């Protein structure tokens, strides 16, 4: 049974990586394509290459974003069952939200799935409240609450600086500079997303192997290259369902504010990931930056019903993936007993 579960985890990683690339690529390219900073073809190729490069960069960086995640001790088969349940929950939710055209957090979806599966095993074993409270809740919940507020506030305030800097200058020159900056930020955001994704799925792999050493070993490099290829393949699709929502339905955006939103997203992603080693959600950061930059205008530009719909899906993400993983663990545990 252990071999079967290990193969299942390996198989589930393939569609998860492709769908993750498809689901998350609009976060970096939706605004640059909306403001014509990049053509759709150039944007998807840039995002695919930068995401793949970010995944490969995981090797020298190590697994710093998730080394805080302490998983409860349990049998290997149960660990693999929890991981499989979390991956199925994440894949299902990402497909549903993509078809609905809503950007949601893959990071929080995966972590909530792992916690939901672990909680299910604890319930089966009659865990007490101390064991439940010891689960790694705090960082995902804190990031879920704080990241949108910080991204919104940073983009809102940066608009003042950008507008002041652009005053008295030729509008065509301002737009040209803004579009060039957006193209750079699209690459940086895609690269940062790749770093996040590489560490996320390598963390899953290390968890499945129950490796006590989170440092990346040489044998992981070919796996990272395969991960980079799969993620880049998903990015090449463009994720235009979500891209249309971010670029057209959420906010009316000019090139200057587009530059602000993409700069805020790239800056927060690099600051949070590389400086503070926080597993930030690119989707939540990008959408909040777009709303923050777009709302700082003299006329109404934010489609707040769409914004409220977005917030609802963000809140539902950890609940949905955690519930799916927990139910799958509860359903699958009797089969482990029979085996």
């Amino acid at each position: 049974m252990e071999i079967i579960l290990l193969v299942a985890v390996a198989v589930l990683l393939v569609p998860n990586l492709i769908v993750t690339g498809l689901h998350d690529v609009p976060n970096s390219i939706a605004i640059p394509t909306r403001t014509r900073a990049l053509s759709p073809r150039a944007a998807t190729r840039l995002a695919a290459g930068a995401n793949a490069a970010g995944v490969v960069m995981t090797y020298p960086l190590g697994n710093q974003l998730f080394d805080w995640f302490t998983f409860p001790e349990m049998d290997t088969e149960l660990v693999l069952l929890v991981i499989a349940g979390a991956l199925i929950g994440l894949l299902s939710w990402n497909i549903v939200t993509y078809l609905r055209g809503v950007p949601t957090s893959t990071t929080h979806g995966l972590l909530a799935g792992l916690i939901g599966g672990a909680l299910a095993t604890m319930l089966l074993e009659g865990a007490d409240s101390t064991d439940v409270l010891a689960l790694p809740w705090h960082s995902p919940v804190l990031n879920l609450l704080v990241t949108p507020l910080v991204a919104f506030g940073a983009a809102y305030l940066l608009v003042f600086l950008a507008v002041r800097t652009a005053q008295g200058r030729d509008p065509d020159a301002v737009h040209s500079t803004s579009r060039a900056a957006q193209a750079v930020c699209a690459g940086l955001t895609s690269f940062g997303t790749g770093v996040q994704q590489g560490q996320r799925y390598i963390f899953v792999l290390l968890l499945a192997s129950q490796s006590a050493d989170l440092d990346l070993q040489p044998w992981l490099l070919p796996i990272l290259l395969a991960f980079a290829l799969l993620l880049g393949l998903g990015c090449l699709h463009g994720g235009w369902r979500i891209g249309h929502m971010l670029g057209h339905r959420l906010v009316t955006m000019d090139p200057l504010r587009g530059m602000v939103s993409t700069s805020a997203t790239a800056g927060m992603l690099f600051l949070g990931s590389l400086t503070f080693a926080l597993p930030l959600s690119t989707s939540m950061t990008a959408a909040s930056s777009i709303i923050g930059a777009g709302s700082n205008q003299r006329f109404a530009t934010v489609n707040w019903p769409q914004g409220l719909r977005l917030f609802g899906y963000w809140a539902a993400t950890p609940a949905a993936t955690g519930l799916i993983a927990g139910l799958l663990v509860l359903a699958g545990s009797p089969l482990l007993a029979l085996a």
Side-chain angles (χ1 to χ4, degrees):
M1 182 60 71
E2 182 177 334
I3 298 298
I4 294 174
L5 287 171
L6 191 59
V7 171
V9 168
V11 170
L12 284 168
L13 282 172
V14 174
N16 264 286
L17 280 156
I18 295 174
V19 173
T20 294
L22 164 70
H23 195 277
D24 288 357
V25 66
N27 300 322
S28 58
I29 68 172
I31 295 302
T33 54
R34 173 68 178 86
T35 61
R36 299 192 300 278
L38 291 167
S39 68
R41 177 177 293 183
T44 52
R45 290 178 177 178
L46 172 64
N51 267 277
V55 173
V56 176
M57 187 56 65
T58 299
Y59 185 76
L61 288 177
N63 198 46
Q64 58 176 346
L65 295 183
F66 297 94
D67 58 6
W68 55 270
F69 191 95
T70 54
F71 204 66
E73 291 187 7
M74 60 182 73
D75 294 338
T76 302
E77 290 182 348
L78 272 178
V79 171
L80 292 172
L81 181 61
V82 169
I83 294 172
L87 290 175
I88 292 173
L90 177 64
L91 180 63
S92 303
W93 186 246
N94 274 348
I95 291 174
V96 168
T97 52
Y98 175 73
L99 293 176
R100 299 292 295 173
V102 181
T104 52
S105 173
T106 303
T107 299
H108 292 91
L110 177 61
L111 294 179
L114 293 172
I115 292 173
L119 181 59
T121 64
M122 290 182 174
L123 294 177
L124 288 171
E125 297 171 358
D128 57 31
S129 59
T130 304
D131 295 329
V132 174
L133 292 174
L135 288 171
W137 307 93
H138 304 91
S139 185
V141 172
L142 186 63
N143 287 338
L144 184 66
L145 296 175
V146 173
T147 298
L149 296 175
V150 174
F152 177 93
Y156 189 92
L157 294 175
L158 283 172
V159 169
F160 289 113
L161 177 61
V163 170
R164 187 176 181 83
T165 303
Q167 281 180 346
R169 300 193 178 187
D170 179 61
D172 290 337
V174 171
H175 288 168
S176 178
T177 302
S178 299
R179 291 188 176 103
Q182 285 182 54
V184 173
C185 288
L188 292 175
T189 300
S190 298
F191 179 81
T193 302
V195 171
Q196 292 255 4
Q197 305 292 7
Q199 295 199 32
R200 181 181 301 144
Y201 286 108
I202 282 295
F203 162 72
V204 170
L205 192 63
L206 292 172
L207 191 61
S209 64
Q210 292 196 306
S211 173
D213 185 9
L214 291 177
D215 292 334
L216 303 191
Q217 305 299 320
W219 61 271
L220 286 171
L221 185 56
I223 297 176
L224 274 173
L225 293 174
F227 284 3
L229 180 63
L230 292 169
L231 190 70
L233 183 62
C235 290
L236 284 174
H237 182 277
W240 298 116
R241 280 179 179 265
I242 294 176
H244 181 72
M245 189 270 194
L246 288 174
H248 295 264
R249 301 182 64 190
L250 186 59
V251 173
T252 302
M253 188 77 71
D254 57 50
L256 180 66
R257 286 171 175 79
M259 177 191 68
V260 169
S261 68
T262 54
S263 299
T265 301
M268 279 195 61
L269 197 62
F270 272 82
L271 185 65
S273 301
L274 301 181
T275 304
F276 298 107
L278 296 174
L280 299 181
S281 165
T282 310
S283 298
M284 293 168 63
T285 303
S288 299
S289 298
I290 291 169
I291 296 174
S295 61
N296 190 349
Q297 299 188 60
R298 294 181 180 178
F299 48 90
T301 60
V302 179
N303 184 345
W304 286 111
Q306 281 292 332
L308 293 175
R309 174 172 174 261
L310 180 61
F311 301 150
Y313 273 95
W314 287 353
T317 294
T321 57
L323 180 62
I324 293 172
L327 291 176
L328 289 172
V329 169
L330 292 175
S333 56
L335 298 178
L336 297 183
L338 290 176

